[in-house]
Amino acid sequence: MRLRLGMIMAAGRVDLARGVLYAKKDPNLPKHPEIDVPNLHVLKLMQSFKSKEFVHENFAWQHHYYFLTNEGIEYLREYLGLPAEIVPATLKKQTRAAAPAAPGRDGGDRRGYGGDRSGKEGAPGAYRPRFEGGGYGRGAPPS
């Protein structure tokens, strides 16, 4: 099966932009859901990329998931003539917003939660519990 250059470029641009491509395990689908290419062509292209170790494949729930490797990124950059500044979304660092402070800390709205903590808690000093009634196994009194 010969793949047309336009199909390869369309799949490559989508793959490089996100770093991930999925394809349903159905070679009879007339078109891939995201690319205007038959699903069989996407499957075969990714099979070829996998044999060259340009992608890593995971398979779950009748879907193939392909992740670009560093070699695959370099190959697509060279093949498509893209600058080195274009990085797949899977390699970009995501900035996270700082987590809100937990309630009860730093003057939160739950003051005193968990007791007074002034040292006056617990059992009185004269309290001596006794455990009688024997037991079984290691807790049994010596015989």
Side-chain angles (χ1 to χ4, degrees):
M1 171 190 314
R2 302 285 293 163
L3 298 174
R4 293 192 312 236
L5 181 62
M7 292 181 183
I8 294 174
M9 291 185 73
R13 287 190 192 280
V14 171
D15 201 12
L16 187 61
R18 286 194 319 233
V20 177
L21 183 70
Y22 77 94
K24 186 174 181 178
K25 183 187 168 185
D26 184 5
N28 297 323
L29 274 179
K31 184 178 111 129
H32 187 271
E34 295 181 358
I35 309 168
D36 194 21
V37 176
N39 199 47
L40 178 64
H41 292 195
V42 174
L43 288 172
K44 292 300 177 182
L45 176 67
M46 290 298 121
Q47 182 182 15
S48 172
F49 277 12
K50 183 181 173 193
S51 70
K52 296 174 186 174
E53 296 183 357
F54 291 155
V55 294
H56 171 74
E57 177 190 26
N58 284 346
F59 183 77
W61 294 92
Q62 298 295 314
H63 284 78
H64 297 271
Y65 296 91
Y66 299 99
F67 303 92
L68 276 173
T69 61
N70 290 336
E71 293 83 17
I73 294 168
E74 291 302 318
Y75 172 77
L76 285 175
R77 277 188 190 142
E78 179 183 321
Y79 187 82
L80 299 172
L82 298 173
E85 292 82 32
I86 296 180
V87 178
T90 55
L91 296 180
K92 291 181 182 174
K93 295 280 184 185
Q94 296 180 356
T95 57
R96 293 185 179 180
R105 299 174 194 249
D106 300 324
D109 60 344
R110 295 175 66 183
R111 296 179 199 271
Y113 176 74
D116 186 12
R117 306 277 187 227
S118 63
K120 298 179 183 176
E121 55 195 41
Y127 179 70
R128 302 279 182 248
R130 292 187 351 208
F131 300 101
E132 296 180 8
Y136 299 100
R138 292 185 179 191
S143 47

